[in-house]
Structures are given as C-alpha cells and as structure tokens.
Amino acid sequence: MTTFKKTGMQTINFDNPPVITSWACLVGPKEGEGPWAKDFDRILADYLFDEDSWEKAENKLLRETVKLALTKQDLQTMEAELLLAGDLLNQTISSNYAARELNIPYLGLYGACSTMAESLLIGAMMIDGGFFNRVVSATCSHHYSAERQFRFPVEQGVQLAASAQWTATAAGAIVLQVKGQGPRVTCATIGRVIDMGVDDTNNMGAAMAPAAVSTIKAHFADKGLNSDYYDLIVTGDLGAVGMNLAKELFVQEGLVPAPNYSDCGVLLYDGLQGVNAGGSGCGCSASMLCGPLLKKMINGELNRLLFVATGALMSPTASFQGETIPGIAHAVAIENA
Amino acid sequence: MSLLMAFLIGGILCVIGQLAMDLTKHSITPGHVLVGYITIGAFLSALGLYQPLVDLGGAGATIPLSGFGHGLAQGAIDGAAQKGLLGVFSGGVEATAAGITAAIVFGYLAAVFFNPRG
Amino acid sequence: MYEEKNEALKAAEKQEYKDLVNRVKPKPPLLVNCLWAFGVGGLICLIGQLFLNYLLNIGMNKADAGSATAVIMIFIGALLTGLGVYDKIGEKAGAGSIVPITGFANVIVASAMEFKKEGYIFGVGARIFSIAGPTLLFGFVASVLIGLVALIIK
C-alpha cells in the first residue's frame, strides 16, 4: 500500500530527509560590497565574467557555481545525477545553456525568483522518493540581463521609485544527497499563485507579499507548529516595502513570526548601496541561502530555518496588456539533525 | 538675460514633466513623457500658444521636446500654406530634419563606438 | 450566486490590500525631485542658449541656428550616454534630463547600444527606435493633422 507523504493541504514531509552535503555561491561586484562579502565563495570583479554579453556571463555564473558546489565534495561534474535549475531570462536560457556545458541530466524550472526553493523542494522529493542519489538544485540572476529584459535599456536615464528593487547578480547551487554530513531538508510547502491586483512593476514586493504570507500560513497550519518553532523564517525578495506589508498581513492572519522573521532582499545589501527597497531576483535568496544562512546552520547559530523564496510571475508582455502581477512562494524547512 | 530666461523656462517645463511622473500613476515612463511633450507641444503650437513661450525663453522653450513638437507643427502649417497637401506631409519633417537625422546617426555611431557599461 | 458573492469578496479584499500598499509604499520626494528637475533641465537649456547665441552672433539665420543648436545638443546627449554619464544624471534629475532634446538622444543611444550584441540590423537597427519610435510616430501624426487643419481653414 502506498503511504502518502503529504500533510494538510500543501505540505510534504520527507521520511528520509535529504542532506545538503555541499553548496556554493558566486556573486557580482555589488553584492560583494554588501555586508556578507566574507560568506560568499567568490565575488566577480565585473559583470561580464570574461564573456562578451551579460546573458553569457549569467550562464557562466550558474555553470561555475554548480561546478564549485560539486568540487567541494571532490565530485566530478558527471557524478551529479540530475540538475534542477531555472532563471529569469526568456526560455530560461541561462539554465539551459549551463546544462548544455555541464552535461548533467537536466530539468528546467521556471518559478521566477522562487526558483531556489522550487528546485530545492523538487530535488528533495526526487531523493526521498528514491529516484536519485545526488541532485543539484541551482538558480541564478544577473542584474543587467534582467534589467534589459524587464525594464529599460541600461544606459537610459531613469529615476527609480523608492519601492523598486535591485536584481542581484548571483548564483547559488546546492548538492542534495541521500546520506552525508550537513543540514537536512525536512519538509516543504508548495505555494499557490496569489494575485492581489498589484500592477506596479516597480513594487514587486507588494505583489509577492500576499503569496509569502499565504504559504507561511499554510505551512504552520499543515504542520501544526508554533510560530516560534523556527530560529529564522526568511522570505526571498520582498524588499523593504514587501516585508512591511508581509508583517501587516501576518498580524491580520493572526500569525506571529516576528522577531524571527526577515527577508533576503532586505538583508543582502547595505542601505547605502543605492538599491532602493532592496534586492530581488533568483540570485537574491539563493545567495543568502548558499552564503550566510547555510554557514550559520553549520556553525549552529541557526538550527531550524524556514526558507520561503518568493517569485513574481509576470512578463513584460502581460504587463503591457494590463495584467496584474501574480506572486508565488514555496517554503522549505532546513534543520540540523 | 537670454541665458536666465532659458534656464527658467526650460526648468519650469522640466518640472511639469516631473510632476506628471510623480503625481500620476506609476505606469508613466520616460517614453510616455517624451510622447506627451512632443504631441502637446505640437498642438499648443498649432493654437499659437507656443511661439510666445519661444519668444520669451529662447532655447528654454526649443530644447525641451515640446519645442520639437512646435517645429513639427509650424513646419506643417508653413508647408500647407506654400505647397498645399504635399506640404502637409513634407513640412513637419523638413523643419526638424536636422535634429531627427542627427539623433539617429549619432545613436548609430554611439552604438558602434561604445558598449553599455551599467 | 455563490460565485458572484465570491467575486465581490475577492474584489473587496483586493481593494483593501491596495489601500494597505498605498499606505506602506514610500512616496516620491516631490520637492527634491522637482528641484533637481528644475536645476538640471534649466541648465541643459541654458547651455543650448549659449550655443544659440553664439551661432546667431556669427551671422546664422534664426531657423538654421535653431536647427544647429538642436544637432549640437543631441550630439552632447549622445556622447554623455555613450560614456555612461547620462544615466547617472537621470537617476537624480528625473524629468530634468528626459524632457530636453538631450533626453531624446539618450533614449535613442541607450536602445541602440543595448542591442549591439544582437547584431547591427535586427539589434541596433530595429531596436534604436524602441522609445524614440513612438515619439516620432505621434509627433509626425500630430504634425500632419495640424497641417491638414491649416490647409482646410486657409
């Protein structure tokens, strides 16, 4: 008889929690000037990474991050059994082309900036389900390739709104295995697409906050946990505006994640770095997780982390047609054994 | 004196654009501002309201894109007077041809010689 | 019936959230933005006036001097964009650097440079007009309309 691993409406439990055995994180120059410089594996000197376009640089960023995560365990690239990756560019070219070079069996994902959580939770399912022994979950974003796809030409003089966010140039990769040393992925909550009618592409945090709150609420309801169970709950890239909105919504929903609640978009940069409301992009939550957060788990500063990456699932075409911005968030619980 | 007036009139025209961006919906982008200025400039000019501004502010009224619209409108009106229907089509661009061509050619040359650096 | 009620509830929720967003969202610093727009926009026009005065002084006629001034200002805007300076000015100046004709040059050059990697025909050639195109389109349409009216009421 099949036993289902789902609990409640949206949450899945892993019977044999997959182990995060190694991880890596490469970031761009601006992220390297932020408060977490010492926690990243490598800081790029410029945005081109010895390539001739930003798109190619982004592909290389992802590729090198995946390689580095495997190398940390003395693994060859070919020893990875499956790559789960996605990014922000049309047709997820960064991931597709990185997978071409890496030559690892590959499933491409699109969850916008929620991809780190999406790839991590699918990877954990693949391993707990007994399909694979070693899966790499990865994502990346590049400030200038995203800027030209979603906003204005880079050299155009544009005054940004205070609620606008800065797409991070960063990639994160996590190696999941059946056995090993490291924090474990214990359960995950798959989010619904929530659209509360925000149509301002300069205020993505506001578009995603309701999705983040919905997923966190579902997670606690499904698991029957107290809100102080986790040492830290981080959302992906709500930024300052979205985080304030999330806090208001938590109160409305009767949830109390504070004071253990924060947001990667708020954490990634210093207030003085000219990023307005904070960071965004797939690389924002990926670099915070694969940089400082997992390091803190290894140090024992954190033992239970709920990582809630958030994504805005819009496209310029849909925006021009007057569509509002749907948001999504997936929660992944990472705990020390 | 002409410098002061250019500064004042030009500055005021830009502040109107700033207010249009800050006080209206978030969806007003630089593209909207440019389209708005050239179109509104042309219609104000046709109504005879823009020439006084040019007399007063000189470059302060011609350098903003509404001045470009003024040039297009006056060109079309002159063209209509001199050549009739053909002038309606040729007058506007004739009057502003130097600027349009310069913008396109310099744009192309800049793309050849420079790369966006971010 | 149930569906309808659901829709109404959803709309009310969305409106409530919209109000919350408007409350939490930081407002643009209007006075500071306007001062920057005034200062930078005014300065660009003042520089234009300097060239205009010079060209008139050396004996150019009014129309030619105006056209030449436009060409010079467009050149300056294009050069500053190419050098990566104009977008930095624009971050502060807002409309002050968009409204003058240098801003028109900026959108043309920025679009052209941006798509260089996609080649000269369909990259630079096609995309150079991504923002300038609408501006020229509506300018030309307005000019022809005005010319037609002028022709009719003559």
Side-chain angles (χ1 to χ4, degrees):
Chain A
M1 200 186 97
T2 318
T3 55
F4 287 104
K5 303 181 185 194
K6 195 174 122 212
T7 167
M9 296 294 287
Q10 292 168 246
T11 303
I12 44 171
N13 285 318
F14 300 116
D15 295 340
N16 299 302
V19 187
I20 297 178
T21 51
S22 63
W23 57 89
C25 170
L26 268 65
V27 299
K30 196 177 185 86
E31 293 67 29
E33 290 163 13
W36 311 100
K38 63 178 189 343
D39 296 316
F40 300 130
D41 290 309
R42 183 169 169 195
I43 296 162
L44 304 186
D46 62 49
Y47 287 95
L48 278 173
F49 206 0
D50 300 328
E51 294 286 333
D52 65 7
S53 77
W54 291 318
E55 287 77 7
K56 288 178 185 169
E58 183 176 331
N59 155 16
K60 185 175 176 187
L61 184 65
L62 182 64
R63 208 164 70 215
E64 294 301 320
T65 308
V66 170
K67 277 190 201 161
L68 182 61
L70 289 163
T71 311
K72 282 183 177 180
Q73 287 212 74
D74 296 324
L75 291 168
Q76 299 293 316
T77 312
M78 57 181 294
E79 290 178 83
E81 295 172 336
L82 177 68
L83 173 66
L84 294 165
D87 58 90
L88 286 175
L89 299 187
N90 290 339
Q91 288 80 37
T92 61
I93 49 171
S94 305
S95 308
N96 296 350
Y97 287 96
R100 176 185 70 184
E101 326 277 309
L102 289 167
N103 199 23
I104 306 172
Y106 161 71
L107 290 172
L109 306 174
Y110 188 81
C113 313
S114 72
T115 306
M116 192 70 246
E118 185 181 7
S119 61
L120 198 53
L121 82 86
I122 295 175
M125 287 164 80
M126 297 281 195
I127 289 193
D128 187 41
F131 297 101
F132 293 95
N133 189 24
R134 191 177 291 133
V135 174
V136 183
S137 299
T139 188
C140 62
S141 58
H142 188 293
H143 179 76
Y144 292 109
S145 65
E147 202 65 11
R148 61 182 297 211
Q149 178 174 311
F150 288 102
R151 292 192 177 128
F152 300 102
V154 165
E155 293 296 339
Q156 193 184 324
V158 181
Q159 200 168 36
L160 280 176
S163 57
Q165 290 168 253
W166 182 275
T167 308
T169 306
I174 286 179
V175 181
L176 286 168
Q177 300 198 70
V178 175
K179 289 198 177 78
Q181 288 278 314
R184 287 162 180 272
V185 180
T186 51
C187 63
T189 303
I190 299 170
R192 296 170 197 274
V193 177
I194 307 273
D195 189 334
M196 290 300 281
V198 174
D199 62 355
D200 183 357
T201 48
N202 280 316
N203 195 3
M204 305 282 248
M208 297 185 288
V213 173
S214 155
T215 299
I216 292 170
K217 187 186 172 195
H219 181 80
F220 282 106
D222 290 346
K223 296 285 288 180
L225 293 172
N226 282 330
S227 59
D228 60 354
Y229 178 81
Y230 293 101
D231 301 325
L232 180 67
I233 299 170
V234 278
T235 43
D237 55 351
L238 298 186
V241 176
M243 186 168 143
N244 283 336
L245 285 163
K247 284 179 176 170
E248 296 264 351
L249 294 175
F250 283 138
V251 174
Q252 285 179 17
E253 298 286 351
L255 289 164
V256 269
N260 304 336
Y261 168 62
S262 194
D263 178 75
C264 298
V266 173
L267 295 171
L268 184 61
Y269 300 100
D270 255 335
L272 302 173
Q273 285 186 273
V275 293
N276 298 310
S280 70
C282 304
C284 174
S285 58
S287 62
M288 280 306 293
L289 180 66
C290 301
L293 293 176
L294 282 173
K295 199 176 242 184
K296 281 180 196 296
M297 294 215 60
I298 292 295
N299 296 342
E301 277 179 68
L302 294 173
N303 280 309
R304 290 162 172 172
L305 170 70
L306 188 66
F307 175 72
V308 190
T310 41
L313 303 172
M314 37 65 92
S315 84
T317 305
S319 290
F320 280 130
Q321 292 180 2
E323 270 283 9
T324 51
I325 305 169
I328 193 160
H330 304 297
V332 178
I334 302 169
E335 301 183 54
N336 280 334
Chain B
M1 190 57 200
S2 65
L3 294 180
L4 180 69
M5 286 316 288
F7 181 80
L8 285 177
I9 298 294
I12 290 168
L13 283 172
C14 291
V15 168
I16 294 171
Q18 188 69 36
L19 292 172
M21 289 199 295
D22 282 356
L23 295 180
T24 53
K25 292 203 316 166
H26 51 75
S27 51
I28 301 292
T29 66
H32 294 92
V33 172
L34 291 176
V35 170
Y37 266 75
I38 201 166
T39 316
I40 293 170
F43 285 115
L44 287 178
S45 169
L47 297 171
L49 299 172
Y50 206 83
Q51 190 58 44
L53 203 61
V54 175
D55 296 339
L56 191 66
T62 55
I63 293 296
L65 220 61
S66 44
F68 205 70
H70 170 63
L72 283 168
Q74 291 308 318
I77 292 169
D78 291 349
Q82 285 164 17
K83 295 190 208 160
L85 191 57
L86 186 63
V88 168
F89 285 94
S90 62
V93 180
E94 268 172 24
T96 52
I100 295 170
T101 308
I104 293 170
V105 172
F106 292 149
Y108 172 73
L109 290 177
V112 171
F113 289 112
F114 297 106
N115 288 310
R117 53 192 73 203
Chain C
M1 191 61 196
Y2 179 73
E3 287 269 301
E4 258 173 43
K5 201 175 165 192
N6 238 351
E7 286 298 308
L9 196 68
K10 231 177 189 168
E13 262 181 16
K14 281 186 179 176
Q15 186 57 45
E16 202 178 304
Y17 186 64
K18 205 175 179 181
D19 296 341
L20 180 66
V21 172
N22 283 334
R23 192 150 52 78
V24 170
K25 191 176 126 178
K27 303 276 170 291
L30 200 58
L31 186 66
V32 176
N33 282 355
C34 284
L35 284 175
W36 268 102
F38 184 78
V40 173
L43 197 64
I44 293 171
C45 293
L46 187 150
I47 293 166
Q49 188 70 45
L50 277 173
F51 284 115
L52 186 63
N53 288 351
Y54 172 77
L55 293 170
L56 289 170
N57 269 341
I58 61 168
M60 240 186 214
N61 73 44
K62 230 176 170 181
D64 284 353
S67 290
T69 306
V71 171
I72 293 167
M73 295 307 286
I74 286 168
F75 177 77
I76 294 173
L79 185 67
L80 290 179
T81 306
L83 294 173
V85 177
Y86 207 86
D87 64 321
K88 302 286 182 291
I89 301 172
E91 279 171 24
K92 287 279 178 211
S97 59
I98 295 169
V99 169
I101 201 157
T102 47
F104 182 65
N106 169 246
V107 297
I108 290 186
V109 175
S111 306
M113 280 162 70
E114 183 95 352
F115 290 93
K116 192 177 171 181
K117 294 289 178 235
E118 284 78 23
Y120 280 99
I121 307 286
F122 290 107
V124 176
R127 304 293 194 124
I128 192 168
F129 296 108
S130 65
I131 300 164
T135 314
L136 291 176
L137 166 68
F138 288 103
F140 289 177
V141 170
S143 123
V144 169
L145 279 179
I146 289 163
L148 280 176
V149 173
L151 193 64
I152 292 162
I153 62 174
K154 188 167 68 175

